[in-house]
Structures are given as structure tokens and as C-alpha cells.
Amino acid sequence: MTEKSEITELVRERYAAAALQLSDVSSTSCCVPTDLGNGDVFGRVLYTQGEDDEIPEEALLASLGCGNPTAVADLHPGETVLDLGSGGGIDVLLSARRVGPTGFAYGLDMTDEMLALARANAAKAEATNVEFIKGQMEAIPLADDTIDVIISNCVINLSADKNAVISEMFRVLKPGGRLGISDVVAENHLSAEDRIQRGSYAGCIAGALSNQEYLDALAAAGFVDGAVNYTHEVAAEMHGAIVKAVKPGVPSDA
Ligand SMILES: C[S@@+](CC[C@H](N)C(=O)[O-])C[C@H]1O[C@@H](n2cnc3c(N)ncnc32)[C@H](O)[C@@H]1O
């Protein structure tokens, strides 16, 4: 196995185990760095009371994110949304409510156990405008120029090939399409070694990009208006952040 595929397999095993625990509605949070042990910086606490009421309890309990991307993505009725690393489905189900029956929300995840959990949660929510698809965000199994908005919640830091993820996001977005992503981001002065010291790769810390690395990678892929805004600290000098950017152009259906 290459180093990249070893990292991917480690992440998959970690989240398969998390999905099985979550199916029993016990509480676990994979994105909690073990050295912090503070569940308050990840998961369901990042959603509002109103959102709690919109989706099944099981979907909320399955939240392993570091933000609330649907709160910042400014979704509109009729839009098509893609959630990268959709886990138990919380952000897909919230997006489906925002885009309404004329819109559609896809969740992409590489872990069978998470897909099973998300599909069960979608059935409980009686959501009809959603689909959970199996695949890796480094090779998104969707056609070019088909998505209005990409969201993701604490997943891109887990990728062993972030440039591939960012160029795939650019490919599947329609011209004028946008990103509204929550992720862990390191302050610029932290070295790769500093990040490893603050937490594990599968725990969403060691693989985090720095603020400037994120902006540079977005610009290199062709995105414009890139922005990284910190929301809360998740480890020393590392933050939950909202990442935004736009694919230039005007959609052909505008
Ligand atoms: C930290 S959890 C976040 C789940 C969900 N976004 C949430 O907020 O609860 C990470 C999820 O991303 C998935 N994942 C990790 N790496 C992936 C990859 N390269 N491609 C697709 N899914 C991936 C895992 O299977 C897991 O479900």
C-alpha cells in the first residue's frame, strides 16, 4: 500500500467503527483529538435548537463535524448541493430542507457503515430529495458542472490528497457555483510536525491545512474569492473554520 492509501484505509476503519457505535445511539466523536478530550468543539453542539427540531435525533447524534456548513452556505430553493464526507447525513438532511422539493442534496462518503447510517436517517426523516453515494472525494463520481453548492463538515483535513479534492470540487461545480465548508485549519506558523503533535490524523488535526495553504490550493485550482474564517479553537493555534470560494463564471441555466 502507498502512504496515501494507508492513510485512507486508517480513516475508513476509524469512521466505520464510529458509524457502528453511532447506530447504537451511544455517544462518540471521532473528530475529538484524544489529547484534548473536549467534545464541545465538535459535533451536535454546533447546531442550533431550531435545526435540532428539523431532523431525526439519530442524525444529530451522528454529527462528527467541526462546524455547521448549511448555516453559512446560504442555500436557496431549487439548488443542487453536494456534501463531501456526509457521515450520518446531518448536513445533507438539513440541506434538503433548505433547497426544497425542487432542489436535491447528495451525500458522498467512502465508508459503507456511514452510508448505511445516513440512508437509515434519511428514511426516518422521510427525505425524498436526497441520495447518498459511495465514493472518494478525491475522485467524485458525478459529472462536470452539475452542482450549485458544495458543503463539507470536518472531512477535507482527512484527505491524503487535498489538491485532488479541491480540483474535483472545481470540476463538479457549475460555473458560478460555490463552496461553504467547515474544516479544521492551522495557523500559518504551525509546521506539519506541530500539527502532528496536537492530535491524530483520523482525529481531524494532524492533516489540517494551514490558512494560507488552503487559500493557495483554492486559487491554484481556479477558485476566486477564497476566504478562511475561524469560528472556534479546536486545539492550540488550530481552529474550526468556514472556508468559502467561488468557481468563476455564470451558470448556463441562470
Ligand atoms: C469527521 S466525519 C464527518 C461526518 C459528517 N460530515 C459530519 O459532520 O458528521 C468524516 C466522514 O468523512 C468520510 N470520509 C473521510 N475521508 C473520505 C474520503 N476521502 N472520501 C469520502 N469520504 C471520506 C468518513 O467516512 C466519515 O463519514
Side-chain angles (χ1 to χ4, degrees):
M1 260 203 259
T2 63
E3 198 188 335
K4 278 184 186 174
S5 57
E6 277 173 27
I7 288 175
T8 305
E9 201 39 46
L10 182 105
V11 168
R12 190 201 310 276
E13 281 171 17
R14 176 81 173 259
Y15 287 95
L20 293 174
Q21 271 183 282
L22 291 162
S23 304
D24 287 340
V25 197
S26 63
S27 68
T28 182
S29 189
C30 260
C31 262
V32 175
T34 44
D35 52 342
L36 258 190
N38 177 0
D40 285 355
V41 296
F42 292 103
R44 63 177 298 178
V45 294
L46 301 167
Y47 293 81
T48 65
Q49 183 71 54
E51 289 167 323
D52 283 17
D53 300 338
E54 289 183 48
I55 50 172
E57 172 79 0
E58 291 85 348
L60 256 185
L61 288 172
S63 170
L64 297 173
C66 53
N68 181 350
T70 49
V72 296
D74 191 25
L75 301 177
H76 303 297
E79 288 188 319
T80 302
V81 181
L82 168 63
D83 181 16
L84 298 182
S86 42
I90 181 168
D91 295 310
V92 172
L93 297 179
L94 286 169
S95 298
R97 305 270 304 212
R98 306 277 180 280
V99 300
T102 58
F104 201 85
Y106 291 102
L108 175 77
D109 207 288
M110 68 175 182
T111 306
D112 287 319
E113 292 81 351
M114 278 294 183
L115 289 164
L117 181 60
R119 289 174 185 141
N121 286 334
K124 275 182 205 121
E126 298 180 10
T128 52
N129 57 341
V130 304
E131 183 181 351
F132 290 95
I133 48 183
K134 182 170 178 176
Q136 295 195 6
M137 60 186 167
E138 295 81 1
I140 298 173
L142 290 172
D144 299 0
D145 302 339
T146 49
I147 302 294
D148 293 298
V149 188
I150 293 179
I151 62 169
S152 183
N153 197 348
C154 224
V155 182
I156 293 175
N157 67 78
L158 294 170
S159 174
D161 190 350
K162 292 164 181 76
N163 287 334
V165 178
I166 291 172
S167 71
E168 278 293 89
M169 295 197 293
F170 191 85
R171 179 184 67 76
V172 300
L173 276 177
K174 295 177 187 173
R178 60 198 190 277
L179 306 180
I181 288 172
S182 297
D183 205 0
V184 173
V185 176
E187 292 182 16
N188 289 333
H189 62 277
L190 292 190
S191 66
E193 187 55 38
D194 291 335
R195 298 172 219 180
I196 290 167
Q197 281 171 3
R198 283 160 171 76
S200 72
Y201 207 99
C204 296
I205 298 293
L209 291 173
S210 76
N211 192 320
Q212 194 59 48
E213 287 164 350
Y214 233 124
L215 293 173
D216 290 347
L218 290 168
F223 283 102
V224 295
D225 299 335
V228 175
N229 291 306
Y230 300 147
T231 52
H232 57 295
E233 196 168 59
V234 298
E237 301 158 292
M238 299 190 67
H239 304 266
I242 299 296
V243 180
K244 289 186 168 185
V246 176
K247 177 171 172 173
V250 178
S252 54
D253 53 6

